[in-house]
Amino acid sequence: MKSPALFEDLNVLVTGAGKGLGRAIVEELLARQDRFPRIRIALSARSEADLTELAYLARKSGVETLTLPGDLARDPVSGIKRVRQEWGRLDVLIHSAGVGRFGDFGTYTPEDVEFVTRTNVEATFLLLQETFNLMKKQPPKGGLRGQIQVITSVAADKPFEHSALYCMSKYAQRGLLEVMRIPAAKEQVRILDVRSGAALTPMWGQVESGMEARMMKPSDVAGAMVDALLLDARATIETLTIRPIGGDI
Ligand SMILES: NC(=O)c1ccc[n+]([C@@H]2O[C@H](COP(=O)([O-])OP(=O)(O)OC[C@H]3O[C@@H](n4cnc5c(N)ncnc54)[C@H](OP(=O)(O)O)[C@@H]3O)[C@@H](O)[C@H]2O)c1
């Protein structure tokens, strides 16, 4: 019997799908359906309106979706469980949901610390744990049990001024991914750490036009991430560092 192909009937969950980089990845997947026949995409974010709009676009291009509105800081795992119930397996997790608060080191409040660490650190840990535990029990498909891509940041290996909290949370994500790769390699689960530099998304709020011109577009990052998904199962890209050609902002 022919073994199932790696990129056919792919079940994908994208967190942070409503805006910015997560949304750009969904759009990229929809645009490349010729490479992903019968792809299904679960969409997760806090704002239900964003997900409903994106699900409508997906449906128009013939792609089945599942919308999973909710705050990962409160409940990081039920989306994964829902995908398993509805679709049986999860082939790809793209974790883009993340937050930042920026300022002088001395001015962060305990609430700032809790806000950033609950989403970027705690929820990321529990979400990836649930995902890995699911993927390792799945039979391999085309040589892989699953793929996990997490958008950390260039701030996961480089300090930026006014970014103590954000850098701490991104270094933590990087550390988790590096440790997870040890069991993941044995279980045929591929893990990609996406160290993105500045891309123009709602996370940045209002930016001046001079600065905008120096930033990447979300589609630059999304395109490279989808290329990495398409790599043959015998190989893995562990870190994808992508930044504006003129350097970090
Ligand atoms: N943009 C950049 O320049 C850049 C550079 C490096 C790394 N990154 C990282 O890339 C990721 C995406 O950033 P972005 O620029 O696309 O941000 P964004 O434009 O603010 O979009 C973030 C998305 O994540 C969702 N989200 C945030 N916290 C969530 C939570 N607790 N539960 C559920 N959903 C949540 C948001 O949902 P709602 O809008 O519904 O709240 C939104 O859909 C983040 O991890 C960020 O740190 C971004």
Side-chain angles (χ1 to χ4, degrees):
M1 203 176 85
K2 196 169 166 263
S3 66
L6 188 51
F7 311 118
E8 286 176 19
D9 300 296
L10 217 57
N11 297 336
V12 181
L13 167 58
V14 181
T15 73
K19 295 184 177 75
L21 299 178
R23 185 182 167 111
I25 289 155
V26 176
E27 289 171 349
E28 188 75 24
L29 291 170
L30 294 179
R32 291 213 226 168
Q33 274 183 74
D34 54 328
R35 299 303 309 271
F36 301 105
R38 297 177 302 283
I39 190 171
R40 296 191 274 200
I41 312 177
L43 308 167
S44 151
R46 286 176 296 211
S47 161
E48 190 162 8
D50 286 346
L51 302 183
T52 306
E53 190 216 330
L54 200 49
Y56 172 75
L57 289 179
R59 231 182 0 262
K60 273 211 318 196
S61 62
V63 170
E64 183 181 339
T65 58
L66 189 59
T67 52
L68 303 166
D71 186 347
L72 291 175
R74 290 200 192 140
D75 177 4
V77 298
S78 65
I80 306 287
K81 292 185 170 147
R82 187 71 203 290
V83 170
R84 186 177 56 74
Q85 273 164 13
E86 299 283 334
W87 293 342
R89 66 180 281 145
L90 176 64
D91 298 293
V92 176
L93 170 72
I94 292 172
H95 181 37
S96 183
V99 293
R101 286 204 179 154
F102 303 91
D104 285 338
F105 178 58
T107 63
Y108 290 107
T109 65
E111 193 273 328
D112 291 329
V113 177
E114 189 184 348
F115 177 75
V116 173
T117 55
R118 276 192 64 186
T119 294
N120 292 6
V121 182
E122 289 179 36
T124 296
F125 184 97
L126 295 170
L127 174 82
L128 296 194
Q129 182 187 53
E130 187 75 19
T131 302
F132 183 62
N133 284 339
L134 169 62
M135 286 180 171
K136 73 182 187 188
K137 288 192 212 117
Q138 302 177 158
K141 198 167 93 182
L144 287 179
R145 287 182 212 278
Q147 303 198 56
I148 298 173
Q149 298 188 343
V150 179
I151 306 183
T152 62
S153 172
V154 288
D157 75 349
K158 176 176 168 183
F160 286 83
E161 202 178 359
H162 304 304
S163 303
L165 199 42
Y166 186 70
C167 280
M168 179 180 74
S169 71
K170 294 296 173 176
Y171 272 76
Q173 290 184 333
R174 169 193 169 175
L176 172 62
L177 296 178
E178 289 184 2
V179 176
M180 274 185 74
R181 252 192 227 108
I182 300 167
K186 295 177 195 147
E187 303 290 354
Q188 295 160 277
V189 173
R190 195 151 73 184
I191 297 185
L192 177 68
D193 176 349
V194 182
R195 305 224 181 121
S196 177
L200 186 61
T201 68
M203 179 179 258
W204 285 82
Q206 207 62 28
V207 298
E208 291 163 12
S209 60
M211 185 163 145
E212 190 176 323
R214 291 167 50 211
M215 297 171 86
M216 294 185 288
K217 291 190 171 161
S219 57
D220 298 327
V221 181
M225 289 174 66
V226 173
D227 285 344
L229 280 183
L230 286 162
L231 187 67
D232 191 275
R234 70 180 158 263
T236 183
I237 303 172
E238 296 186 340
T239 308
L240 168 65
T241 301
I242 177 166
R243 51 167 47 98
I245 185 85
D248 291 323
I249 290 171

